[in-house]
């Protein structure tokens, strides 16, 4: 039958000749519901907290598997309304807790096309053109990271966690293979010494989890200064390992503070001891799009592998991870033969082999949305968005500094992350002050008025304190759009102080503050 044949009327398909017509009608339901639900939510987060969100969502979504279906339009309207009214919306300027970006409309539209066509990126006959687009996209990103390398390459992953896992896997396999012919053993190395991973105390948890999953020794942790690896401490650590294969993992954009490790110094020290370098640039990697900001990543090209994550500072729908390597030959350990996907004779006949491009088999065409975004905006357009976020963070930091009731963490702002806390927290004992900071954040969450993160980091006196964290990834919000957020924090902090005084009076037999004025637990 013709490829345009559709399924029965109860279950029309998204693809084929008739699919776009079916999608057009259903997409209108989705878009109308998204718009209505955003207005109904009225802020960056639903009010009421987990129990209230669960109640409202269940009322619209249950039963998920009824005996008789309610129809496509009704199901879409109900469940899209439920998830949209109950969403944390990163497109709202007051949603700044995490590395959770608002996706660009062009990227989301490309995602729809990919979902409708549903190519699986594990064999050419499932993804003929999508495979070409992925190849073009990975080549562009690999060249961005390793501009001088003769044969750089990159893989599309589900995010930073998978990229770090694959980077450690490839390093483990290189270590197991031993030194290159003619290189001889490294001084002090023993045969079949397992790979040792050395990373900073600022590293993402995925590095430690990857070592555990791969059966490697627990990573050796190097001390940090001001949120960045201390080069002298790294030197001492590598000197004390006594040889053997080592992978140093540095970070370009820490989750809590946006700090970038001193990559040139780390690269020099690693090379001195014959260690390899991997850089987790899941957050900071897109600085490469900007000629003005790219120097902050000097030394990145000296890494054997680099993690990028474009669903952070890249405005892509999840998932949009990348692992770039300095030489395509480094990906050889991922090669795999499955006769139904990449038979030898098919490959010899010229069919591209996609199976060795991932540790996964079935994969979404995530490169499509990246390619559409890159082509739509160009490097200059991407640069403007990255620079906007960095500039907005600096403006936000100055706005915090101008508020007597708030205090910013001393030091430079890390990429687009600003740490600050109410001054009333500093007027209390350390533990009580941190409790005030935590309560301010939870109050704003429960009220649905702001989504701020939290981070523990050293203060100017060296003491580690709890801070409110604003991670500014909105490519359009200006500094003025964020000023109401500071008003909300100030107000919540005043309420916290009043509630604390009321509790103290109540404990002493006085009159406490009314329960309605106290912070939500």
């Amino acid at each position: 039958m013709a490829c345009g044949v559709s399924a029965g009327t109860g279950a029309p398909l998204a693809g084929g000749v008739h699919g776009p017509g079916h999608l057009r009608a259903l997409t209108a339901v989705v878009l109308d519901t998204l718009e209505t639900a955003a207005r109904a939510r009225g802020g960056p987060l639903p009010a009421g907290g987990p129990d209230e969100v669960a109640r409202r969502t269940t009322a619209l979504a249950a039963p998920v598997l009824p005996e008789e279906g309610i129809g496509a339009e009704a199901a879409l309207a109900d469940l899209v309304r439920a998830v949209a009214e109950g969403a944390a919306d990163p497109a709202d300027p007051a949603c700044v807790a995490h590395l959770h970006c608002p996706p660009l409309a062009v990227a989301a539209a490309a995602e729809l096309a990919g979902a409708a066509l549903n190519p699986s990126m594990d064999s050419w006959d499932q993804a003929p053109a999508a495979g070409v687009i992925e190849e073009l996209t990975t080549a562009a990103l690999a060249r961005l990271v390793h501009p001088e390398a003769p044969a750089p390459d990159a893989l599309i992953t589900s995010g930073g966690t998978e990229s770090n896992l694959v980077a450690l896997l490839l390093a483990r396999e290189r270590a197991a293979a031993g030194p290159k012919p003619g290189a001889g053993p490294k001084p002090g190395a023993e045969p079949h010494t397992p790979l040792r991973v050395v990373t900073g105390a600022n590293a993402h948890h995925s590095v430690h989890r990857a070592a555990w999953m791969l059966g490697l020794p627990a990573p050796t942790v190097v001390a940090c200064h001001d949120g960045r690896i201390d080069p002298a401490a790294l030197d001492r650590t590598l000197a004390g390992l006594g040889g053997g294969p080592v992978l140093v993992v540095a970070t370009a954009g820490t989750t809590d503070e946006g700090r970038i490790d001193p990559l040139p110094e780390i690269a020099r020290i690693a090379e001195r001891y014959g260690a390899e370098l991997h850089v987790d640039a899941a957050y900071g990697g897109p600085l490469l799009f900007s000629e003005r900001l790219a120097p902050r990543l000097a030394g990145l090209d000296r890494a054997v592998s680099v993690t990028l994550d474009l669903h952070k500072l890249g405005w892509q729908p999840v998932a949009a991870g990348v692992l770039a390597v300095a030489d395509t030959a480094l990906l050889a350990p991922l090669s795999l033969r499955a006769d139904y996907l990449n038979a030898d004779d098919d490959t010899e006949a010229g069919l591209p082999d996609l199976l060795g491009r991932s540790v996964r088999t079935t994969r979404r065409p995530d490169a499509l949305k990246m390619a559409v975004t890159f082509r739509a905006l160009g490097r200059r357009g991407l640069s403007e968005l990255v620079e906007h976020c960095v500039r907005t963070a600096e403006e936000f930091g100055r706005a915090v500094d101008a508020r007597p009731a708030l205090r910013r963490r001393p030091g430079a702002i890390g990429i687009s992350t600003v740490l600050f806390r109410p001054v009333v927290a500093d007027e209390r004992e350390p533990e009580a002050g941190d409790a005030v900071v935590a309560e301010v954040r939870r109050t704003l969450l429960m009220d649905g008025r702001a989504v701020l993160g939290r981070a523990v980091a050293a203060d100017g006196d060296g003491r580690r304190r709890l801070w409110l964290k604003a991670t500014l990834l909105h490519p359009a919000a200006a500094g003025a759009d964020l000023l109401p957020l500071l008003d909300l924090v100030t107000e919540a902090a005043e309420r916290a102080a009043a509630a604390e005084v009321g509790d103290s009076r109540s404990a002493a037999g006085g009159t406490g503050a009314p329960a309605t004025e106290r912070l939500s637990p």
Side-chain angles (χ1 to χ4, degrees):
M1 299 180 71
C3 293
V5 170
S6 181
T9 56
L13 300 179
V17 174
H18 303 291
H22 300 142
L23 274 177
R24 188 170 290 110
L26 295 174
T27 301
V29 175
V30 171
L31 296 178
D32 289 345
T33 305
L34 286 174
E35 187 174 11
T36 303
R39 289 197 178 98
R41 187 181 61 246
L45 199 74
D51 291 343
E52 179 60 19
V53 171
R55 184 193 66 77
R56 292 196 299 259
T57 303
T58 301
L60 288 167
V64 171
L65 185 62
E67 189 64 30
E68 297 292 338
I70 66 173
E73 290 83 358
L76 273 172
D78 284 350
L79 272 77
V80 172
R81 175 186 168 192
V83 76
E85 286 186 357
D89 184 3
D92 190 299
C95 190
V96 294
H98 303 287
L99 288 162
H100 179 198
C101 73
L104 297 175
V106 68
E111 186 91 313
L112 173 62
L117 295 168
N118 209 31
S120 181
M121 306 301 297
D122 51 315
S123 68
W124 181 86
D125 57 356
Q126 298 177 88
V132 176
I133 289 175
E134 181 173 280
E135 183 179 358
L136 293 171
T137 305
T138 53
L141 289 168
R143 184 61 63 192
L144 186 70
V145 175
H146 293 105
E148 303 300 327
D153 204 347
L155 303 176
I156 301 298
T157 71
S158 60
T161 294
E162 183 185 336
S163 292
N164 286 339
L165 173 67
V166 176
L168 266 65
L169 168 65
L170 295 174
R172 186 193 70 178
E173 295 307 291
R174 291 194 297 274
K180 296 179 181 179
K186 295 176 183 176
E190 299 178 0
H192 307 298
T193 303
L195 175 72
R196 297 300 305 266
V197 177
V198 175
T199 194
N202 60 353
H204 191 262
H205 61 78
S206 62
V207 176
H208 297 266
R209 178 171 286 189
W212 166 69
M213 292 176 68
L214 295 169
L216 297 171
T220 300
V221 177
V222 176
C224 290
H225 175 69
D226 194 27
R228 306 161 78 229
I229 286 179
D230 181 350
L234 175 64
D235 194 305
R236 291 191 298 270
T237 297
L238 294 181
L241 289 180
V246 174
L247 180 71
V248 175
V249 178
T251 306
T254 58
T255 302
D256 279 348
E257 303 176 57
R259 295 289 192 241
I260 298 173
D261 284 333
L263 301 180
E265 295 173 81
I266 290 172
R268 283 194 294 271
I269 293 168
E271 290 166 2
R272 186 185 312 147
Y273 289 96
E276 292 184 332
L277 173 63
H278 167 70
V279 178
D280 178 358
Y283 179 10
L287 296 177
L288 291 173
F289 291 125
S290 164
E291 290 186 5
R292 182 173 68 84
L293 298 175
R296 297 189 184 187
L297 299 179
L300 187 72
D301 59 338
R302 296 166 69 176
V304 68
S305 55
V306 175
T307 287
L308 303 176
D309 203 343
L310 295 174
H311 57 243
K312 292 183 171 63
L313 194 60
W315 311 286
Q316 299 297 296
V318 175
V322 178
L323 177 68
V325 294
D327 191 329
T328 188
L330 297 171
L331 301 177
L334 298 180
S335 297
L336 178 67
R337 192 63 62 184
D339 193 63
Y340 76 104
L341 294 174
N342 61 347
D344 286 333
D345 57 323
D346 277 349
T347 302
E348 292 169 2
L351 295 184
D353 179 3
L354 305 182
L355 190 56
R357 303 292 298 177
S358 178
V359 294
R360 296 172 285 159
T361 304
T362 302
R363 291 190 294 117
R364 292 164 45 85
D366 288 319
L368 173 61
K369 61 199 174 194
M370 302 181 204
V372 168
T373 301
F374 295 168
R375 193 160 166 79
L377 298 180
R379 184 168 179 178
R380 182 176 300 175
L382 291 165
S383 170
E384 290 174 355
L385 298 187
V386 172
E387 291 177 7
H388 171 86
C389 291
V390 172
R391 185 169 57 251
T392 300
E394 293 167 352
E395 293 173 1
F396 186 76
R398 289 193 293 270
V400 172
D401 292 340
R403 300 277 180 128
L406 301 174
R407 180 172 69 87
R408 184 169 59 87
R409 180 178 178 271
I413 290 171
I415 305 181
S416 64
T417 299
V418 182
L419 301 185
F420 64 105
R421 57 189 268 149
V423 171
V424 294
D426 295 338
E427 297 168 355
R428 287 146 178 80
E429 292 297 318
E431 186 174 344
D434 286 352
V436 168
V437 175
E439 203 72 1
V440 166
R441 174 179 175 271
R442 285 192 293 268
T443 295
L444 296 177
L445 287 176
M446 295 292 286
D447 291 346
R449 295 191 294 171
V451 190
L452 282 160
R454 55 186 288 162
V456 175
D459 204 342
D461 60 2
R463 184 188 294 275
R464 293 179 65 79
R465 290 185 168 88
L466 182 64
W467 305 85
L468 297 172
K469 177 175 69 171
T471 306
L472 304 176
L473 303 180
H474 201 298
D481 298 317
L482 297 164
L483 296 181
L485 179 60
L486 300 181
D487 294 333
L488 291 173
V489 171
T490 302
E491 176 193 340
E494 291 171 352
R495 291 169 58 191
E500 186 179 81
V501 170
D503 286 343
S504 299
R505 289 176 178 172
S506 179
T511 302
T516 55
E517 295 181 11
R518 296 182 185 176
L519 300 178
S520 303

